[in-house]
């Protein structure tokens, strides 16, 4: 029975994705852990993760999974195929066949990979609706030969220009080609994966309210002040929030009562009509609250990773 080794490529930095893709929530853990545990479930061993951008963070996240780590120190100046070569050379002598996949295709079904592993061919890749997909499985000796390729097209070019036959396995699993290069693609993939009955990632949600004698400042009041600052009108600000003018005035009155000072200056109508402006103290309140929220969100994510980053089970 063939021994399957895995090469997971996670070295690059996505210019279109602000968040670190491997640690985004997926399944009941993260993208990286989801893929690693799926391959381990299928008996793939050893698994090498090729790291680069934020390498220490990813290696720490996966340190309990009994993996090999190799780094592409020049990830900023090299393409994905360079990382693939590093991974292949790390495990080719330890297995009969090498399974290669990037870290950003987490929605592949277990059954898809299992079926591909049962095909006896020199090189195999999945294809869905005409889209070439992952994982790619290559016999270890051929994988080492492919590492010598210096032409165009990366791994795909190396396989298609190889003297060995390439078997394409047709699958009805769009997860083989759907990746997460942008936030929009990530959210679309999560919703699509959920719609086919595969669960939804779990996120922490924290609402920050400032309280004196009474609760007086939160996201709603902050937005009201921001709109007043933009429009110069309490009435227009309330309208933008689909809120009655009387409710908006009540919120401002409660805010100023708790603070003990004015956050909005108002003036009555005249030739130019009435209006309102946010005071310097009010603008400082908006600014500090917004920065506070950013730090709370960052700290919340860190704590969430500490307790739930390895999964909810």
């Amino acid at each position: 029975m063939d021994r399957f080794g895995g090469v997971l490529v996670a070295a690059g930095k996505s210019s279109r994705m602000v968040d670190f893709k491997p640690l985004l929530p997926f399944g009941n853990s993260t993208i990286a852990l989801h893929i690693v545990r799926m391959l381990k479930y299928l008996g793939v061993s050893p698994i090498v993760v090729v790291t680069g951008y934020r390498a220490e963070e990813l290696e720490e996240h996966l340190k309990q999974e009994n993996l090999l780590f190799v780094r592409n120190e020049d990830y900023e100046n090299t393409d994905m195929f360079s990382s693939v070569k590093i991974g292949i050379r790390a495990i080719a002598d330890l297995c009969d066949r090498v399974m290669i996949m990037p870290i950003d295709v987490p929605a592949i079904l277990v059954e898809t990979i299992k079926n591909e592993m049962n095909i006896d061919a020199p090189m195999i890749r999945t294809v869905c609706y005409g889209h070439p997909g992952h994982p790619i499985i290559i016999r270890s000796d051929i994988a080492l030969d492919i590492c010598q390729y210096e032409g165009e097209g990366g791994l795909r070019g190396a396989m298609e220009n190889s003297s060995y036959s390439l078997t394409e396995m047709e699958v009805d699993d769009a997860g083989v080609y759907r990746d997460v290069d942008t936030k929009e693609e990530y959210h679309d993939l999560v919703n699509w994966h959920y719609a086919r009955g595969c669960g939804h990632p779990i996120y922490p949600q924290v609402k920050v309210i400032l309280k004196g004698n009474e609760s007086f400042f939160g996201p709603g009041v902050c937005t009201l002040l921001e709109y007043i600052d933009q429009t110069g009108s309490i009435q227009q600000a309330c309208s933008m929030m689909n809120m009655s003018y009387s409710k908006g005035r009540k919120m401002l009155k409660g805010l100023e009562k708790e603070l003990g000072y004015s956050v909005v200056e108002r003036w009555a109508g005249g030739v130019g009509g009435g209006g309102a402006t946010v005071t310097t103290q009010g603008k400082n309140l908006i600014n500090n609250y917004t920065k506070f929220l950013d730090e709370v969100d960052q700290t919340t994510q860190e704590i969430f990773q500490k307790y739930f980053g390895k999964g909810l089970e």
Side-chain angles (χ1 to χ4, degrees):
M1 184 175 180
D2 284 346
R3 298 168 299 160
F4 287 84
V7 174
L8 294 181
V9 181
K13 175 183 178 180
S14 174
S15 59
R16 296 185 294 164
M17 172 69 81
V18 177
D19 298 314
F20 188 38
K21 290 192 287 186
L23 299 190
L24 287 171
F26 196 85
N28 72 347
S29 55
T30 62
I31 286 178
L33 273 172
H34 177 82
I35 293 177
V36 164
R37 289 173 177 172
M38 177 170 58
L39 297 189
K40 289 173 70 174
Y41 171 78
L42 291 168
V44 178
S45 179
I47 298 172
V48 60
V49 182
V50 185
T51 62
Y53 175 63
R54 293 171 67 169
E56 291 182 1
E57 187 175 352
L58 181 56
E59 290 168 13
E60 174 67 22
H61 182 63
L62 297 173
K63 70 178 182 180
Q64 303 297 327
E65 298 300 315
N66 193 28
L67 308 172
L68 301 175
F69 295 101
V70 292
R71 293 191 185 183
N72 179 355
E73 300 289 359
D74 196 31
Y75 69 89
E76 291 184 287
N77 301 308
T78 56
D79 58 13
M80 178 179 168
F81 189 32
S82 299
S83 295
V84 169
K85 291 178 181 179
I86 293 172
I88 288 173
R89 288 169 177 150
I91 65 166
D93 292 336
L94 304 175
C95 56
D96 302 305
R97 294 206 270 169
V98 178
M99 181 183 297
I100 304 164
M101 59 191 299
I103 204 73
D104 61 352
V105 284
I108 305 173
L109 296 174
V110 169
E111 198 63 30
T112 297
I113 301 178
K114 185 183 297 185
N115 291 338
E116 188 179 5
M117 292 171 71
N118 288 330
I119 297 175
D120 185 12
M123 299 188 296
I124 315 160
R125 75 177 171 200
T126 58
V127 178
C128 180
Y129 313 136
H131 296 276
H134 293 92
I136 291 165
I137 298 178
I138 307 175
R139 210 172 67 203
S140 296
D141 58 329
I142 299 173
L144 288 171
D145 286 344
I146 279 178
C147 288
Q148 306 306 313
Y149 180 74
E150 298 292 343
E152 297 181 351
L155 177 58
R156 181 173 179 174
M159 294 171 63
E160 292 177 350
N161 285 282
S162 172
S163 59
Y164 295 94
S165 62
L166 172 60
T167 299
E168 295 192 330
M169 185 182 84
E170 294 282 347
V171 300
D172 185 23
D173 177 8
V176 301
Y177 67 83
R178 295 190 63 159
D179 57 15
V180 289
D181 274 345
T182 66
K183 282 191 173 183
E184 291 74 20
E185 288 175 348
Y186 167 67
H187 291 299
D188 287 346
L189 180 64
V190 164
N191 291 330
W192 172 77
H193 196 58
Y194 176 69
R196 64 176 180 169
C198 295
H200 201 283
I202 305 301
Y203 303 84
Q205 184 174 20
V206 176
K207 186 176 181 180
V208 178
I209 303 293
L210 301 184
K211 185 178 184 298
N213 185 50
E214 302 287 343
S215 298
F216 67 92
F217 196 80
V221 186
C222 186
T223 300
L224 179 61
L225 287 182
E226 288 174 329
Y227 284 162
I228 293 171
D229 192 43
Q230 291 174 24
T231 64
S233 167
I234 297 174
Q235 189 164 353
Q236 280 185 253
C238 292
S239 178
M240 290 172 70
M241 296 180 67
N242 295 316
M243 178 192 301
S244 69
Y245 178 65
S246 60
K247 181 176 180 180
R249 288 192 62 183
K250 183 178 180 181
M251 289 169 64
L252 292 175
K253 184 177 179 180
L255 169 62
E256 293 178 335
K257 179 181 178 182
E258 292 295 325
L259 291 174
Y261 57 80
S262 297
V263 294
V264 175
E265 290 182 354
R266 310 152 177 87
W267 59 90
V271 177
T277 185
V278 178
T279 65
T280 299
Q281 288 173 307
K283 290 179 180 179
N284 288 338
L285 178 62
I286 295 171
N287 185 52
N288 290 335
Y289 179 75
T290 302
K291 290 180 178 178
F292 179 49
L293 284 185
D294 289 341
E295 290 195 33
V296 168
D297 182 62
Q298 181 179 346
T299 304
T300 299
Q301 291 296 334
E302 292 172 359
I303 297 171
F304 182 79
Q305 285 295 321
K306 177 180 177 181
Y307 291 104
F308 296 104
K310 303 298 183 182
L312 303 179
E313 297 175 353

